[in-house]
Amino acid sequence: MFLEEIVLDGFKSYASRTVISGFDAAFNAITGLNGSGKSNILDSICFVLGITRLDQVRVSNLQELVYKHGQAGVSKASVTLVFNNDDAAHSPVGYEGCAKITVTRQVVIGGRNKYLLNGHAVQQSRLVNLFHSVQLNVNNPHFLIMQGRITKVINMKPPEMLSMIEEAAGTRMFQEKKHESQRIIERKEQKVDEINRVLAEEITPTLERLRTERTHYMRWTANQQEIERLTRFTVAYEYVQARLKADESGHEAVKLEQRLRQLRDADEEHASNLGRLANEIERLGREREREADSEVRRLDAAVSKAAKELVKAQADWAHVDESVAAESAQLAKLNASLSDGAATRAAKQLEAAAAEQAAQQADADVGQLTQRQNELQQQHQAVQAGLAVDISSSSAVSLQHRLLEAKKAASEAATEAKSCALRIEHAAKELASKRKQAHSASADYNGLLADCQQAEKLLERLRAQLASIDYDPDAELQRAAQLKQHTIDVTQLRQRVETLESQLAGFECAYSMPDKNFDRRRVRGLIARLVRLRQEETALALEVTAGGRLHNVVVDSEQTAQLLTKHVKRRYTFIPLNKIVGRSIEAGAARHAQQLAGPSSSATVARELLSYEPDLEPAINFVFGSTFVCADKETAKRVAYDKQVRGRSVTLDGDVFEPSGTLTGGSRAHAGSVLLQLEQLHAAHDQLEPAEARLRELQQAVGRREKVASEWQAIKQQEQLKAHELDLLRQRLGQTSHQQLLESLSALERQLEADRARQAELVAADKAARLLADQLEAQITNFTAGRDAQLKQLGEQLAAAKKQVQAASKQLKNKQQLAEQLALELQELDADERAVREQIAASEQPLQALRAQLEERAVQLADKKKEHERHKDKLDAKRRQLQAADEQLGALAAQRESLQAQRTDGEVETKKLEQRLQRQHSEKKQAGKFVEHLEHKYAWIKHEQHRFGTANSEYNFEQHEPQLAQRQLSQLHEEQARLAKQINRKVMSMFEKAEAEYQELMAKKQIIENDKRKIEQVIRELDDKKNQALETTWHKVNKDFGSIFTTLLPGTTAKLEPPSGQTVLDGLEMRVAFNGQWKESLSELSGGQRSLLALSLILALLMFKPAPMYILDEIDAALDLSHTQNIGQMIRTHFKHSQFIVVSLKEDMFSCANVLFRTKFIDGISHVTRTKQVDSNEKKKATAHK
């Protein structure tokens, strides 16, 4: 494979498409002047080969490879290399069938790289591997010897020298692959660590937990079977006992009925006697009541009323008296405080006024002294520096400095004025000449100007049409952006709703339509979806309150519920709104519960924490109406156990207190709150509905504007085309010679006017500067007299002024601090006095009202005492009259009570017997119902009852004690209840899945570890092979290196050997001997000898494993002509199997080449010509022969 053709387009100095073809398969040379672009051809080859170190092609970034960095209208650079691939034996792997291989690389300003292989886009790595396979590694090349490489080879350190041997041996690519394999090993180790972490932190703990849960589940299953056996035994025993109980109750009932008949006869006789006594007592009682009872009640009521009014009047008087005493004491304290404050304030005012006046006087003194000090300081500095200074001014300039500046300004003004005069004369001549040229070139200009005017008119008409259309492109773009943003927002909201819906899939009432006319509004939905939280922190408490009823389905009637039972996909509990009756807590109990909670806590009926539709009230009461939600456990305990409330209470943490005394609480699962998730779903729906409405509005608005937009776009396109045409005309107009002359004339006229104005200014400035210089020379002559005496006097005055300012400033600061402190104290006293006066004014008026009220209450109290005593005397007199009548009634009542007691005893016994009889009937009935219930509930009783109580059966009640069986059954139920909280009914499948995951991870881990071991083994084997290949290469290259160097420089010897105390694998260094004497250092060699040594090593490397192509850039720069010619002849005769492309400025080198390319730099662009030199070489030989 050899290079046949190069096509450059926009690459460096090759601005246009340049084809360099006809490369010789053996020896090619490129020559040309410096800067003509000969090295750019080599750079283009490196560019296509994929070089990454851009400094080797003398640029810092890829954009610099474009012609003039893209500044000249060329925006991309591309290079195409065409390789002849007729020799299939040396073809890249996989391309043996391609006669030619075309590789293109392109870089665009502001864009990205693009690689093409035989016209198809490929990745850079594919091209790099292709070139690596034929020994063309451009990033560590032994085939590429660029400018300065010779010096680098001489200065290489042993490891760098070794890398050249490795590259020649072909092991360099293995080293890169080795590093890549080591990175793969590191990634696999990270994967193994990750698998170990997952096993230790997730899989293994999960397996252990699932094993425990599987044990519990198997225990639970065994218990269920035992429970079923014991249940049959205990049910059979209860069935037999119930039948016996029914028979016994029947016999006992007959005996009780006989005793009841006897007691009823005796009761009738007692009732007759009691009736007679009752009539007598009633007659006497009516007579007593007619005489005095009504009067006693009236007098008693009057006394009670008077006593209440008396107590109230006493309490009112005492309260007002206490208020008067408290207000009087407070008013006295305020008056005393006001008097003390007034005296203090007057004294403080006098002291503050004096301090303020003293501070103002001190401030004025400091200002005067400071001003005097500044004046003296300015005068002293001015005299000391020799400055002419106005004391009232803040700046001063030395007379000598001002004199020099004045003379300099005069000289500069005179020089610039002469320059202006010369420019004015030249501009006037040029202006006259260009005016004549402009007049003669006006014909073409006028024609183009007319075309421009016509295009401007047409452009104005198009813009008028655009303005008449009601279309704003910015508004439409904004509307389109809004539509896009709303579409994104709606999509995100829909995804949010779908995500939440999927998480809450279990909270849907899934049913099929009972018939095609079924109204879905009859099914309201699950309780959980029909309520909204008012406070998110109550979510857990409300979930515990509802429990499983959150999954209940609310329907309009029981008919709908019955209809749906046949069409639902799983079991539901239905709540018909027309039948359900929910118990709700009374308002009084709710108020009392809140009082028990107190102001720092809360106890609220659960339904009041929810919002729902009014017609759902019965269902909500059924679920949430009988429970309180309390802020903490203490409040819940008080509410649950209070006698007036006794309501079920749930805390915010989910603990339940029952009035019966039970408490439910403890750890809960960490799953998310269902009500909170449903609340998030409701909120997402609330956001989605207005967002979808807004999206529809925007879509309709955009649709309505499509026709107007199309019309506007068509006219806009015409307007843009016409504007472009007008710009082209204006460019042509600006490029005409007439227009350029007009612009040049305008610029000359402006420059001429500016120069004339500047000349006048400079003449005036010259005169002013000369006058100022004369005045300053006179002042300098008179200034030096009396300077020392003036300095001494000003220094003494300045020192005295500084001391005065310091003393006055210190005194001013003290006086100001005292004045500020007194002012603050005075303000505080004023504020205290105002507050006291306001309190006094506020207290006097209520005190007067209280005193008037106290007098009024005293009068009322005396009246009430008199009235109460009068009513009490009347009541006592009437009661004495009634006492005699009461004694007669007492005797009759005692007789009646005796008979009543006898009758009551009989009634009590009758009641007891009736209750016993009723209980016997009830027990018989209950026993019968229980028997029927057991027969209905347990169908197996009818088939098994003949075996109940028989020997040698599972129902042998004598062999197996029923009470023990019941205890065992109760214990099993308790254990099952405990296990039910722990068991996971899906544990068997979960355990199998987790165990499968564990086995899968272990298998992956084993595979990764095996891969790692294999890679490490391959690396070790290849390391051995690499070392063997490196040893062989070193011996071969070392031999050729010494032979070539001896040939180029007779009498010398060269070799490659490891540094002292190291091996070949550590590095290599060059050694040179002259006439058998080895040199200690290469620095002893001359520049030409060093270059020959480096070239000998490079040529030895080329001979070891020839690459298809070698590129040499001015390797003969440091060699004389004889050595240059020898190297050229060696390349021509000894390297016939590789293609050489040599850049050289020496004829002795490029004259040896078969094909010579010469580069020239014309008008900023490089050009290439080709010369085939085989014929010229033959002519030279023929001439020599003659």
Side-chain angles (χ1 to χ4, degrees), residues 233-243 930-931 934 957 966:
F233 181 81
T234 54
V235 167
Y237 179 76
E238 291 174 355
Y239 179 80
V240 172
Q241 293 298 318
R243 295 190 65 172
F930 184 65
V931 169
L934 292 178
F957 303 133
Q966 288 177 348

Side-chain angles (χ1 to χ4, degrees), residues 242 919-932:
R919 188 164 55 252
Q920 293 298 327
H921 286 303
S922 177
E923 288 176 355
K924 181 179 179 182
K925 186 176 180 181
Q926 287 177 357
K929 287 183 178 180
F930 184 65
V931 169
E932 293 176 359

Side-chain angles (χ1 to χ4, degrees), residues 1-6 21-23 80-88 91-92 94-103 116-120 130:
M1 186 179 80
F2 66 89
L3 181 63
E4 192 174 71
E5 182 180 270
I6 302 176
S21 60
F23 279 87
T80 300
L81 303 183
V82 180
F83 293 94
N84 187 307
N85 195 38
D86 291 335
D87 186 4
S91 171
Y95 294 88
E96 293 82 356
C98 298
K100 293 186 183 298
I101 297 176
T102 303
V103 182
L116 299 175
L117 178 58
N118 291 336
H120 300 285
L130 183 148

Side-chain angles (χ1 to χ4, degrees), residues 239-269:
Y239 179 80
V240 172
Q241 293 298 318
R243 295 190 65 172
L244 293 174
K245 183 67 175 176
D247 295 340
E248 293 176 357
S249 298
H251 297 305
E252 183 67 20
V254 173
K255 296 178 181 178
L256 293 174
E257 287 175 354
Q258 294 177 355
R259 175 59 180 162
L260 277 174
R261 284 195 292 271
Q262 297 174 358
L263 291 174
R264 285 171 183 162
D265 294 340
D267 183 66
E268 290 178 358
E269 182 179 354

Side-chain angles (χ1 to χ4, degrees), residues 357-640:
Q357 185 176 3
Q360 291 176 356
Q361 182 61 39
D363 189 24
D365 294 343
V366 169
Q368 292 175 0
L369 291 172
T370 302
Q371 183 178 1
R372 176 58 180 164
Q373 178 188 348
N374 293 337
E375 293 173 354
L376 291 171
Q377 182 73 29
Q378 291 177 357
Q379 292 175 6
H380 185 271
Q381 291 175 353
V383 173
Q384 190 177 28
L387 304 177
V389 178
D390 184 0
I391 298 303
S392 61
S393 176
S394 61
S395 64
V397 180
S398 68
L399 295 176
Q400 292 83 352
H401 184 70
R402 291 177 64 190
L403 177 60
L404 291 174
E405 287 184 347
K407 290 181 178 180
K408 182 181 178 182
S411 175
E412 290 176 351
T415 302
E416 191 173 354
K418 292 178 182 179
S419 178
C420 283
L422 293 175
R423 289 199 302 271
I424 290 169
E425 181 181 357
H426 176 73
K429 292 178 181 179
E430 188 176 358
L431 188 62
S433 174
K434 289 187 179 292
R435 282 175 178 168
K436 292 179 182 179
Q437 295 176 8
H439 180 71
S440 62
S442 60
D444 294 338
Y445 176 79
N446 292 333
L448 287 173
L449 184 62
D451 293 340
C452 280
Q453 291 173 350
Q454 185 178 359
E456 287 175 351
K457 292 179 181 178
L458 182 57
L459 183 61
E460 288 176 359
R461 286 199 298 273
L462 289 173
R463 287 175 176 170
Q465 291 180 11
L466 285 175
S468 63
I469 298 175
D470 183 17
Y471 182 83
D472 184 0
D474 293 335
E476 294 302 322
L477 286 175
Q478 185 177 5
R479 189 177 288 110
Q482 291 178 354
L483 177 61
K484 181 179 180 181
Q485 185 60 42
H486 274 76
T487 304
I488 294 172
D489 294 342
V490 169
T491 302
Q492 291 176 349
L493 286 172
R494 286 173 179 166
Q495 292 175 351
R496 172 68 174 160
V497 169
E498 290 173 359
T499 302
L500 291 172
E501 289 284 6
S502 64
Q503 293 174 356
L504 297 168
F507 285 84
E508 289 285 352
C509 180
Y511 64 93
S512 57
M513 293 286 286
D515 56 68
K516 62 180 181 179
N517 297 324
F518 182 77
D519 186 1
R520 286 186 175 274
R521 291 176 296 180
R522 296 167 62 183
V523 182
R524 304 300 296 274
L526 271 69
I527 286 290
R529 286 183 173 269
L530 294 176
V531 298
R532 298 286 298 270
L533 295 175
R534 293 183 176 175
Q535 301 174 13
E536 292 186 355
E537 61 268 16
T538 61
L540 176 59
L542 292 171
E543 285 185 25
V544 173
T545 298
R549 292 181 179 178
L550 281 177
H551 296 269
N552 291 1
V553 180
V554 179
V555 296
D556 61 342
S557 62
E558 75 278 9
Q559 290 83 5
T560 302
Q562 293 174 358
L563 192 62
L564 287 178
T565 55
K566 301 176 182 178
H567 295 85
V568 291
K569 298 181 180 179
R570 61 187 183 91
R571 293 180 63 84
Y572 289 101
T573 299
F574 294 95
I575 301 178
L577 291 174
N578 65 332
K579 290 293 185 181
I580 195 66
V581 178
R583 187 177 73 85
S584 60
I585 297 173
E586 297 180 356
R591 287 194 298 271
H592 185 68
Q594 185 57 48
Q595 292 174 359
L596 290 173
S600 61
S601 185
S602 63
T604 310
V605 180
R607 70 167 182 274
E608 296 177 2
L609 299 173
L610 299 167
S611 57
Y612 48 86
E613 296 182 8
D615 59 334
L616 298 175
E617 183 78 24
I620 301 303
N621 276 337
F622 173 71
V623 178
F624 298 100
S626 61
T627 303
F628 287 98
V629 174
C630 302
D632 50 54
K633 292 182 179 180
E634 293 300 325
T635 303
K637 188 186 300 182
R638 289 197 295 270
V639 170

Side-chain angles (χ1 to χ4, degrees), residues 660-880:
S660 59
T662 61
L663 167 63
T664 303
S667 176
R668 297 183 58 83
H670 293 289
S673 172
V674 172
L675 290 180
L676 283 179
Q677 292 178 350
L678 287 169
E679 191 65 28
Q680 294 173 1
L681 179 60
H682 291 316
H685 275 298
D686 294 342
Q687 295 175 1
L688 179 60
E689 292 175 359
E692 288 179 336
R694 176 58 179 162
L695 179 61
R696 289 192 294 271
E697 292 177 1
L698 289 173
Q699 290 173 341
Q700 294 171 1
V702 171
R704 290 194 297 269
R705 301 290 295 173
E706 284 182 356
K707 184 177 180 181
V708 178
S710 300
E711 180 182 358
W712 188 89
Q713 290 291 346
I715 299 174
K716 182 64 177 178
Q717 188 175 6
Q718 296 178 13
E719 185 262 346
Q720 290 175 346
L721 291 174
K722 189 54 66 178
H724 180 65
E725 181 181 349
L726 180 59
D727 290 339
L728 293 177
L729 287 171
R730 287 174 176 170
Q731 289 178 6
R732 290 178 57 193
L733 189 65
Q735 292 172 357
T736 60
S737 59
H738 182 75
Q739 177 65 23
Q740 293 175 356
L741 286 170
L742 290 178
E743 292 176 355
S744 177
L745 283 172
S746 177
L748 283 172
E749 289 173 352
R750 290 194 299 272
Q751 182 64 36
L752 188 59
E753 291 177 1
D755 287 343
R756 285 171 178 169
R758 179 60 179 163
Q759 186 182 27
E761 292 176 0
L762 292 170
V763 171
D766 181 32
K767 291 180 181 180
R770 292 180 185 277
L771 179 60
L772 178 60
D774 295 338
Q775 293 174 356
L776 290 171
E777 286 177 348
Q779 290 180 11
I780 290 171
T781 304
N782 300 324
F783 175 71
T784 55
R787 178 173 176 271
D788 294 337
Q790 190 176 4
L791 276 174
K792 182 177 180 182
Q793 182 181 0
L794 287 173
E796 294 173 353
Q797 292 177 358
L798 181 60
K802 287 182 178 179
K803 292 180 180 180
Q804 292 176 357
V805 168
Q806 291 176 356
S809 298
K810 184 175 181 181
Q811 187 176 8
L812 171 62
K813 184 177 181 181
N814 294 334
K815 291 181 178 180
Q816 286 178 341
Q817 289 178 352
L818 178 60
E820 291 174 357
Q821 182 178 0
L822 291 172
L824 290 174
E825 292 177 357
L826 189 59
Q827 290 176 3
E828 293 177 357
L829 290 172
D830 290 342
D832 293 342
E833 183 178 352
R834 286 194 299 272
V836 171
R837 290 186 182 278
E838 290 174 359
Q839 293 178 7
I840 289 173
S843 300
E844 286 179 347
Q845 185 175 358
L847 180 60
Q848 294 175 359
L850 286 172
R851 286 173 177 168
Q853 191 176 1
L854 181 64
E855 294 177 359
E856 182 180 354
R857 292 290 190 274
V859 174
Q860 292 177 358
L861 179 60
D863 294 340
K864 294 300 181 182
K865 285 182 178 179
K866 292 178 181 178
E867 185 176 359
H868 178 263
E869 292 176 355
R870 179 168 55 81
H871 286 298
K872 187 177 181 181
D873 293 340
K874 290 182 179 180
L875 179 61
D876 293 340
K878 193 63 177 176
R879 283 177 175 171
R880 286 192 294 272

